[in-house]
Each structure stands twice: as C-alpha cells, then as structure tokens.
Amino acid sequence: MTHDQQGSGPARRAVLGAAAALGAGGAVFALPGAAEAAGTSAGRGGHGSSKLPVPTVIGHRGASGYRPEHTIGSYQYALDIGADVIEQDVVPTKDGHLVCRHEPEIGGTTDVSQHPGFASRRTTKTIDGTATTGWFTEDFTLAELKTLRAVERLPANRQRNTLYDGRWEIPTFEEVLQWADEQGRKRGRPVWLHTETKHPTYFRKLDLGLEERLARLLRRYGRDRRDSPQFLQSFEPSSLQRLGSLGAGAPKVFLLSGPTSRPYDFVEAGDPRTVADLVTPAGLRWIARFARGIGPTLTLIIPLDAAGKLGTPTTLVRDAHAAGLILHPYTMRNENTFLPVDFRKGTDPNAYGDSFGAFRTYFEQGIDGIFSDNADTALLAREDFLKNR
C-alpha cells in the first residue's frame, strides 16, 4: 500500500511458524536466525501453530492488479490465486463504522461523482498536511456508502480492470472478517489478514478513533491474540502502541515511507526524527519495542538513482534482522511504469515488464515478505527463487 550483501541471506530470515514461541499464549513466530530454513514453513496451522511460507506474499489491497481494490471481489481473487495474506486499509464512516478504503477520499475509487444527491458533499480537506479535494468517508453514513459502487483507481494503467466497475460495494471491515472466517472454514485453514489504520491522528481529532473500533472487532472475531492469523500495520507508531495497550496482541508492522519523511504523529508531537533516523540500528531497536516488523518502501532496501535504476542496496535488511524485526516491503506491481528502469520491457508504460527479475532481486536481499498487486506473479517468483537459491 513500498540489504546487505553479507549475512542477510535466506538462512537468516524471519520465519513465521518456526521454533521461537512468544509468551504464554503459545504463539509461534520466529526471529531472524531461527533454525528453520526459509521457505520450508509452507503449511498453515491453526491459531496455536500458525505458519506462513517465506518470503510471504501479501495481496496488496487484495488482487488490485486485476480487480478494483478493497472489494470482496479483489480479496477473493487474491485468495483464490494463492496469496498468503490479504491486506485491508480501514477508515471510518460518519457513524463510526470501519470500512475498507485506501484513503478516506473516495472520488477515485467509487462512483460517488455520479450520484447527484451527494454533489454537495464534495469538499477540500487537509489530511496530514496535504490538501485533498473530493468526497470523504467520514462525511457519509454507512447506509449512504452502501449505495455506492467501487471502480478501478488506475483506469489509465489498468483499463481491463474497469470491466468490473460497479460490481462490488464498499465492504465494512466486519464484513471482511466474516468473509475470512467463512473462507477459512471452507479451506480448513485460517485466512491471514494484514490490516492498516489509515491517518489515525487525523481521525482521532474528529472523534473517530480507529484503534478502539478495530480492537473491538478483532476481539469479537478472535483475532486479537499473539498467535492470531492477523497482522496490524500503520505509518504512525502511536497507533500500533495504542492497539497494543487496548489488548490487540496480533503482530504489528510499522510502515516506513521515504527517508526524509516523518510519521504524522511525530509531526503533531514535535518529534524531529525522520524515517532515516528510524532505519538506523538504534531506531530499529526502538521500533522493536512495540512492533514485530517493518514495512519499508522498496527504495529503502535498494534506492533508485536519478534515472530510476537500482542503486546499491542498503544495510536495512541486516540491521532490521539484528533488531529482531521482519521486513514486509511494499509494493511490487507488474507494469513497466511501476518497475525500476532495469526491469522495464518495451515502450508501453502499462505493459508488463520483467517483474520476475525484480522479485528475484528483492528476494535476494533477504526480505521476509512482500506486498504485491499481482500475487500469482509473486508466488511464481518465490517458487523460482527457492528452487534456485
């Protein structure tokens, strides 16, 4: 929803489901350097022995390379093509329900602009310091949002996905939890979710705090434990800390943007630290106090040069593993326009490039998982990587 050439290879990776139990709850969640080799924990157990293959493939907003994002159709397709974990972003409605949208602004992901009755709701808001014009979930009741239908967010890049415009509504997070439970029963194994709190500081100021609502739902559906098939993620560390204080024990992943950026709760609190400060060994040790992993943008692992080509890998993978953290970087997409220049093919920016080559390069850095819009491609790339390593 983004290395080190010595000592951070596959044998050192964090392996979910290896032999490092965390606490009395019996959760199984291994740290880097665990005895089990990467890629061997492909089975998935129940809550007491949850396992994921490594590198873990996370369906980014579902299967957003093929279906409009954050719809049951996108989540279902990601699961059907084999994603290990399905991602959701949650934002609130005016009446306090959590719904799944990448941003509260829904002009680009729904048909709200085609509803004359909602024309007056179009407005400009400043969210995390950035002015945005459109329609916002916090200005709609859930009943009103349910009259809308999802559309493809990137129609210029993914014209084929527009075939599905209007097919699905905006799901509530509770509906996704119910869907996951149903699919888990059908498959005989839990469906893993990776759930992000979006703009938590902004929503707390509106008296629409995300964490309390999310923690209640996680408890209701048995996903609040340390061994639950559930990740919790945020770009704001205070959101993850708040979730922990509310009893949400599922493993937490702190998302990291570019090196000069600052988490917005840091901005509000006057904390001068940037992401560059947080990816130092000292910063990573601080993160490990409240999180089980980080979700860095891919350029924090291998920066791009001025021409958009891969540069020299950083030491982030090694340093994070040394702090006991796993890494779930974001986001891999198949189209040329989203790939490093090294892996583009032809001149059409929307044609597929050499995404297999890009996956291989990132896997070689020792990452523990990856967010991908195209989970089927990621799975084939993982198969190739584990076979040939």
Side-chain angles (χ1 to χ4, degrees):
M1 132 278 186
T2 47
H3 166 76
D4 181 64
Q5 293 173 316
Q6 301 172 0
S8 65
R12 295 193 72 255
R13 281 188 231 165
V15 180
L16 307 186
L22 295 181
V28 183
F29 200 108
L31 298 177
E36 185 171 356
T40 61
S41 57
R44 297 172 180 83
H47 283 174
S49 59
S50 296
K51 296 181 179 180
L52 287 169
V54 175
T56 303
V57 172
I58 304 157
H60 185 237
R61 310 176 198 171
S64 51
Y66 308 111
R67 302 288 189 271
E69 65 189 34
H70 289 315
T71 58
I72 293 296
S74 183
Y75 300 148
Q76 184 68 54
Y77 194 63
L79 190 64
D80 290 345
I81 62 178
D84 303 313
V85 184
I86 312 297
E87 187 206 25
Q88 309 79 46
D89 300 317
V90 295
V91 295
T93 65
K94 182 178 182 179
D95 48 348
H97 295 275
L98 294 183
V99 294
C100 297
R101 292 286 89 188
H102 176 56
E103 293 289 342
E105 199 291 302
I106 54 173
T109 60
T110 73
D111 61 358
V112 64
S113 65
Q114 304 304 309
H115 289 245
F118 295 141
S120 63
R121 308 275 179 100
R122 190 172 187 268
T123 187
T124 299
K125 300 191 179 192
T126 299
I127 301 178
D128 296 359
T130 301
T132 303
T133 299
W135 291 261
F136 298 83
T137 59
E138 66 269 24
D139 295 333
F140 291 77
T141 65
L142 178 60
E144 289 173 330
L145 284 181
K146 285 295 187 179
T147 67
L148 308 179
R149 290 298 179 268
V151 300
E152 171 57 36
R153 185 176 66 91
L154 301 172
N157 303 110
R158 293 171 170 169
Q159 191 275 333
R160 291 181 179 180
N161 293 12
T162 63
L163 172 67
Y164 304 100
D165 284 357
R167 190 172 185 90
W168 295 291
E169 61 184 27
I170 297 174
T172 66
F173 183 58
E174 184 164 20
E175 288 169 342
V176 173
L177 292 171
Q178 293 167 349
W179 165 82
D181 277 358
E182 178 186 3
Q183 293 299 313
R185 287 191 295 271
K186 287 181 178 179
R187 287 165 166 74
R189 55 176 174 79
V191 172
W192 278 76
L193 303 178
H194 213 307
T195 308
E196 179 183 350
T197 57
K198 298 295 295 192
H199 307 293
T201 293
Y202 168 77
F203 285 119
R204 183 158 297 281
K205 288 184 173 182
L206 298 179
D207 293 325
L208 289 170
L210 300 174
E211 294 83 7
E212 292 81 3
R213 292 168 169 82
L214 180 55
R216 282 196 298 269
L217 287 170
L218 293 171
R219 281 195 300 273
R220 186 179 304 167
Y221 288 86
R223 287 179 172 264
D224 59 323
R225 302 187 296 273
R226 301 178 84 171
D227 59 347
S228 297
Q230 175 76 52
F231 293 102
L232 299 171
Q233 54 175 333
S234 183
F235 280 98
E236 295 187 22
S238 62
S239 183
L240 299 178
Q241 293 164 336
R242 187 181 295 273
L243 283 167
S245 70
L246 291 168
K252 298 167 185 65
V253 175
F254 179 28
L255 301 170
L256 298 166
S257 190
T260 62
S261 66
R262 293 165 65 201
Y264 197 70
D265 53 347
F266 281 20
V267 175
E268 288 284 303
D271 188 325
R273 287 177 295 172
T274 65
V275 166
D277 298 312
L278 296 174
V279 297
T280 63
L284 293 165
R285 288 193 297 271
W286 177 77
I287 293 169
R289 297 178 189 174
F290 61 87
R292 297 302 300 148
I294 57 174
T297 182
L298 285 165
T299 55
L300 289 176
I301 294 173
I302 309 179
L304 301 180
D305 65 18
K309 293 186 176 182
L310 292 177
T312 302
T314 70
T315 62
L316 179 56
V317 174
R318 182 196 67 187
D319 294 342
H321 285 167
L325 295 166
I326 63 168
L327 298 94
H328 287 171
Y330 65 91
T331 302
M332 268 294 297
R333 298 176 169 102
N334 283 355
E335 293 89 356
N336 278 323
T337 192
F338 302 117
L339 290 170
V341 168
D342 316 59
F343 301 106
R344 295 178 185 175
K345 297 169 66 176
T347 58
D348 182 353
N350 300 318
Y352 281 5
D354 179 18
S355 50
F356 287 116
F359 273 115
R360 181 176 61 252
T361 299
Y362 292 122
F363 288 160
E364 286 171 348
Q365 312 315 309
I367 62 175
D368 306 292
I370 195 162
F371 288 84
S372 175
D373 286 8
N374 310 88
D376 49 352
T377 308
L379 290 162
L380 287 172
R382 179 179 70 196
E383 180 182 338
D384 291 345
F385 171 69
L386 295 176
K387 186 187 331 180
N388 297 319
R389 64 190 168 96

